[in-house]
């Protein structure tokens, strides 16, 4: 399609949207005029919820009366018992008390009272940048400047808790004593709207820098990042310490206190070690223009794809082009820091990095069909050694299960591989046959977290992924050395994965593998072990 035709189509779409706005506004006016007749006469009260006539909730929600079809269906339905009738009535009363007005399917920029709180992505002053507000509570509904909901995929559980009555939707969190126990201070990258586009760099400082908006203006502004400290205990690190490969220094690696026997006496068994770490959990907050630019597509195309392929879940992606922030319903990331966190922004200090994408089967349950857990454990050991040399180690754990294809797809691929001859030459093809693509992790957004931490160079990167390496280097962070997992740590059954990746051009410091060699690398069959 030529540029002229594309512009004409876009102009026509905008004209249709404007006409739809006018029609929708007229309908809204009629509905508001008819609201007294549609309001429920009674409702089940919920503590802390205001449901008086003319409340903001009623002014912004749509109550759809029963259609003639639904009435006909009700008339022919099996009669309800007294008990079931009372239950249904109770459920209806509860629904009316939670959502007493009309359903707000979408909004438009020029609707009455809609005025998003100003937000300038990339501003150096948080007061100018503004808070991210996605809440649909009455106090914040008309000032929302973000689409979606906090907590990513877990937002669905919040909805269930509200529907079940275990959570008051108007609950106001108490953020006292939740501030980070270690500093993650502002970095120059925070002020560059092109450097961090996939989460809010001020997310861990929300209760402090947006105190006025929360306490004085009553807006529902929530943290999207939490920073804390922890001790990590892994059996693999225990064994490495026992063998003398990891030293107990009392700073990064600590000896675990002795355990107890069944009779309560102190056990003489080797207690192992603990790793002293700092960590941060980061929720996704997408600045849509920046995300689109990062992938080299238009913002309109990004919005349309997000709308269509979430089943139309977020219609305001289409109708609210003025709102540029979207909190997608996807998993978050976690940062683990080994050593002094202040060293991350100090270019004179050595820094070791592992960017790891989730693999529940291997990371948690030890499946040997891939190298994910060995890679993760090896990287943690390398981070410990780096911290003990006076540097700092960083492991970033992304929730991108099965190359972001999901665990169901991954297991289907396993079945295909084991039934179709698990050879390295078929490794990527098996995934493509089921998923249509061999990888959907798209590492373009991954470097954002490194910029947030203030990392300006990476001395050691534990990875064989060119996608990760290229994304980091192209974002402006040089990598001085990269290396992969040692050969002796590769589980035999995961040789199929490793050889296929090496032949496909992944980085390796070990043996070279050609396409002709791949047919010789065969995975274990189901029959070779009990399941």
């Amino acid at each position: 399609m030529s540029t002229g035709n594309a512009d004409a189509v876009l102009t026509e779409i905008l004209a249709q949207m404007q006409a739809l706005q006018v029609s929708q506004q007229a309908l809204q006016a009629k509905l508001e005029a008819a609201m007294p007749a549609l309001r429920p006469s009674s409702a089940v009260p919920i503590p802390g919820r205001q449901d008086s006539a003319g409340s903001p909730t009623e002014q912004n929600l749509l109550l759809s009366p029963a259609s003639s079809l639904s009435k006909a269906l009700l008339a022919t339905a099996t009669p309800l018992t007294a008990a079931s009738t009372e239950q249904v009535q109770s459920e209806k009363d509860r629904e009316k008390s939670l959502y007493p007005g009309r359903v707000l399917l979408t909004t438009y920029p020029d609707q009455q009272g809609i005025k998003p709180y100003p937000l300038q992505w990339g501003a150096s002053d948080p007061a100018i940048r503004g808070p991210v507000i996605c809440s649909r509570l009455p106090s914040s509904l008309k000032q929302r400047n973000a689409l979606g909901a906090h907590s990513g995929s877990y937002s669905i559980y919040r909805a269930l808790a509200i529907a079940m009555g275990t959570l008051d939707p108007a609950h106001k969190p108490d953020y006292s004593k939740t501030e980070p126990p270690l500093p993650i201070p502002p970095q120059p990258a925070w002020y560059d709207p092109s450097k961090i586009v996939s989460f809010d760099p001020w997310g861990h400082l929300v209760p402090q820098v947006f105190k006025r908006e929360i306490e004085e203006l009553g807006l529902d502004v929530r943290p999207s990042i939490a920073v804390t400290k922890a001790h990590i205990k892994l059996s693999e690190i225990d064994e490495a310490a026992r063998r003398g490969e990891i030293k107990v220094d009392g700073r990064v690696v600590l000896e675990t206190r002795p355990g107890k026997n069944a009779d309560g006496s102190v056990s003489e068994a080797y207690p192992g070690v603990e790793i002293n770490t700092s960590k941060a959990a980061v929720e996704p907050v997408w600045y849509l223009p920046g995300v689109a630019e990062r992938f080299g597509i238009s913002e309109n195309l990004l919005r349309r794809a997000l709308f269509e392929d979430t089943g139309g879940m977020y219609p305001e992606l289409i109708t609210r082009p003025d709102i540029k922030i979207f909190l997608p319903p996807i998993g978050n990331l976690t940062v683990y820091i080994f050593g002094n966190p202040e060293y991350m922004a100090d270019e004179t200090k050595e820094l070791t990095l592992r960017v790891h994408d989730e693999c529940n089967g291997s990371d948690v349950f030890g499946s040997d069909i891939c190298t994910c857990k060995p890679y993760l454990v090896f990287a943690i050991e390398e981070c410990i050694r780096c911290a003990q040399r006076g540097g700092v180690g960083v492991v970033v754990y992304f929730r991108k299960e099965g190359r972001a294809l999901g665990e169901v797809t991954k297991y289907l691929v396993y079945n295909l591989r084991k039934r179709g001859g698990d050879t390295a030459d078929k490794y990527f093809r098996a995934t493509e046959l089921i998923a249509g693509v061999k990888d959907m992790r798209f590492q373009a957004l991954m470097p954002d977290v490194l910029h947030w931490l203030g990392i300006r160079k990476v001395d050691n990167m534990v990875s064989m992924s060119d996608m990760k390496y290229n994304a980091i280097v192209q974002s402006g962070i040089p990598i001085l050395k990269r290396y992969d997992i040692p050969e002796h740590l590769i589980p035999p059954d995961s040789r199929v994965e490793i050889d296929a990746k090496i032949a496909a051009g992944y980085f390796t410091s070990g043996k070279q593998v050609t396409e002709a060699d791949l047919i010789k690398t065969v995975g274990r069959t189901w029959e070779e072990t009990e399941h």
Side-chain angles (χ1 to χ4, degrees), residues 220-437:
D220 186 15
V221 186
R222 306 200 173 207
S224 57
I225 300 175
V227 181
T228 189
K229 291 183 177 182
H231 283 185
I232 295 176
K233 186 163 183 62
L234 298 170
S235 59
E236 292 85 357
I237 303 300
D238 287 345
E239 288 303 310
R242 187 202 295 271
R243 295 190 300 266
E245 298 170 4
I246 293 293
K247 65 180 181 180
V248 179
D249 61 353
R251 180 176 59 90
V252 180
V253 180
L254 315 172
E255 186 171 315
T256 299
R257 289 176 292 183
K260 291 185 177 181
N261 297 314
D263 61 2
S265 61
V266 177
S267 173
E268 295 182 1
Y270 175 60
V273 297
E274 299 171 4
I275 314 164
N276 188 17
T277 63
S278 305
K279 61 182 183 179
V282 182
E283 290 179 4
V285 178
W286 286 9
Y287 175 56
L288 292 173
V291 172
E293 183 179 2
R294 191 75 63 85
F295 286 105
I297 58 178
S298 69
E299 182 186 341
N300 284 343
L301 175 57
L302 173 63
R303 286 174 173 269
R304 183 62 183 267
L306 290 171
F307 168 73
E308 295 287 354
D309 284 277
T310 56
M313 187 183 296
Y314 300 100
E316 288 175 309
L317 284 167
I318 305 299
T319 63
R320 294 303 303 272
D322 59 316
I323 293 184
K324 302 297 184 180
I325 307 299
F326 175 52
L327 281 62
I330 59 176
N332 66 345
L333 66 90
T334 310
V335 181
Y336 289 87
I337 305 165
F338 304 82
N340 190 338
E342 295 181 6
Y343 290 174
M344 292 186 294
D346 186 345
E347 293 185 72
T348 68
K349 302 296 184 180
E350 182 184 8
L351 188 144
T352 296
L353 172 69
R354 166 68 180 170
V355 176
H356 191 91
D357 293 322
E358 177 185 33
C359 179
N360 181 64
S362 178
D363 296 341
V364 179
F365 294 99
S367 172
D368 64 352
I369 199 171
C370 61
T371 57
C372 296
K373 185 173 186 177
Y375 245 123
L376 181 59
V377 172
F378 174 65
I380 290 174
E381 292 180 359
E382 289 294 279
C383 286
I384 291 172
R385 296 186 183 102
C386 184
Q388 292 180 334
R389 291 194 298 265
V392 62
V394 178
V395 171
V396 186
Y397 195 92
F398 282 88
R399 302 317 192 278
K400 295 179 179 177
E401 179 66 58
R403 299 189 206 142
L405 299 169
E407 204 165 34
V408 170
T409 295
K410 181 164 72 172
Y411 286 9
L412 293 173
V413 171
Y414 287 168
N415 290 346
L416 174 59
R417 285 173 54 186
K418 295 303 181 182
R419 290 192 177 106
D422 191 14
T423 55
D425 61 317
K426 302 174 184 176
Y427 177 78
F428 287 116
R429 181 59 179 160
T431 302
E432 291 174 334
L433 284 172
I434 293 174
V437 61

Side-chain angles (χ1 to χ4, degrees), residues 187 189 196 199 335 344 351 353-355 394 396 398 445-456 458 468 472 475 477 479:
Q187 303 292 333
I196 302 177
F199 62 87
V335 181
M344 292 186 294
L351 188 144
L353 172 69
R354 166 68 180 170
V355 176
V394 178
V396 186
F398 282 88
L445 301 177
M446 175 266 293
D448 287 18
V449 65
L450 308 183
H451 292 293
W452 175 65
L453 295 169
I455 294 174
R456 294 177 176 83
V458 175
K468 294 176 183 177
I472 293 172
S475 78
I477 301 175
I479 296 174

Side-chain angles (χ1 to χ4, degrees), residues 26-301:
L27 177 61
Q28 177 183 339
K30 293 179 180 179
L31 287 169
E32 287 179 347
M35 275 303 293
L38 297 177
R39 289 192 184 109
S41 58
S42 62
V44 178
I46 294 180
R49 182 99 174 166
Q50 293 183 352
D51 292 317
S52 59
S55 68
T57 304
E58 288 182 328
Q59 293 171 8
N60 289 280
L61 301 174
L62 171 61
L63 177 64
S64 300
S67 65
S68 56
L69 176 60
S70 62
K71 289 178 180 177
L73 291 173
L74 287 172
T76 58
T78 302
L80 297 172
T81 65
S84 61
T85 302
E86 290 178 3
Q87 182 179 357
V88 170
Q89 187 60 40
S90 176
E91 286 291 311
K92 288 182 177 179
D93 288 343
R94 173 161 177 75
E95 182 179 351
K96 289 178 181 178
S97 65
L98 280 170
Y99 313 107
R102 46 195 179 83
V103 176
L104 185 63
L105 292 177
T106 188
T107 61
Y108 294 90
D110 56 351
Q111 275 188 324
Q112 183 180 8
I114 299 294
K115 189 176 181 182
Y117 199 90
L119 192 151
Q120 184 179 325
W121 196 262
S124 59
D125 184 345
I128 297 175
R129 205 303 295 272
V132 172
I133 306 171
C134 65
S135 173
R136 290 171 63 94
L137 290 177
S139 62
S140 303
L141 181 59
K142 291 191 175 184
Q143 292 191 273
R144 284 188 315 141
N145 55 21
L147 310 177
H150 281 293
S151 301
S153 57
Y154 294 100
S155 61
I156 303 301
Y157 289 102
R158 172 183 167 85
L160 284 175
I162 291 174
M164 293 171 62
T166 58
L167 174 63
D168 179 357
H171 169 72
K172 185 176 181 180
D174 181 358
Y175 295 122
S176 58
K177 300 182 180 180
T178 64
E179 62 273 8
L182 60 131
I184 303 289
Q187 303 292 333
W190 294 22
Y191 317 142
D192 185 339
S194 68
K195 289 292 186 184
I196 302 177
V197 301
S198 61
F199 62 87
D200 178 7
W202 298 96
H204 60 308
L205 301 175
V206 162
Q208 291 79 43
V209 299
F210 299 121
K211 185 175 182 180
R212 173 180 170 270
E213 286 81 358
I214 296 172
E215 295 185 0
E216 296 181 22
L217 302 184
L219 296 175
D220 186 15
V221 186
R222 306 200 173 207
S224 57
I225 300 175
V227 181
T228 189
K229 291 183 177 182
H231 283 185
I232 295 176
K233 186 163 183 62
L234 298 170
S235 59
E236 292 85 357
I237 303 300
D238 287 345
E239 288 303 310
R242 187 202 295 271
R243 295 190 300 266
E245 298 170 4
I246 293 293
K247 65 180 181 180
V248 179
D249 61 353
R251 180 176 59 90
V252 180
V253 180
L254 315 172
E255 186 171 315
T256 299
R257 289 176 292 183
K260 291 185 177 181
N261 297 314
D263 61 2
S265 61
V266 177
S267 173
E268 295 182 1
Y270 175 60
V273 297
E274 299 171 4
I275 314 164
N276 188 17
T277 63
S278 305
K279 61 182 183 179
V282 182
E283 290 179 4
V285 178
W286 286 9
Y287 175 56
L288 292 173
V291 172
E293 183 179 2
R294 191 75 63 85
F295 286 105
I297 58 178
S298 69
E299 182 186 341
N300 284 343
L301 175 57

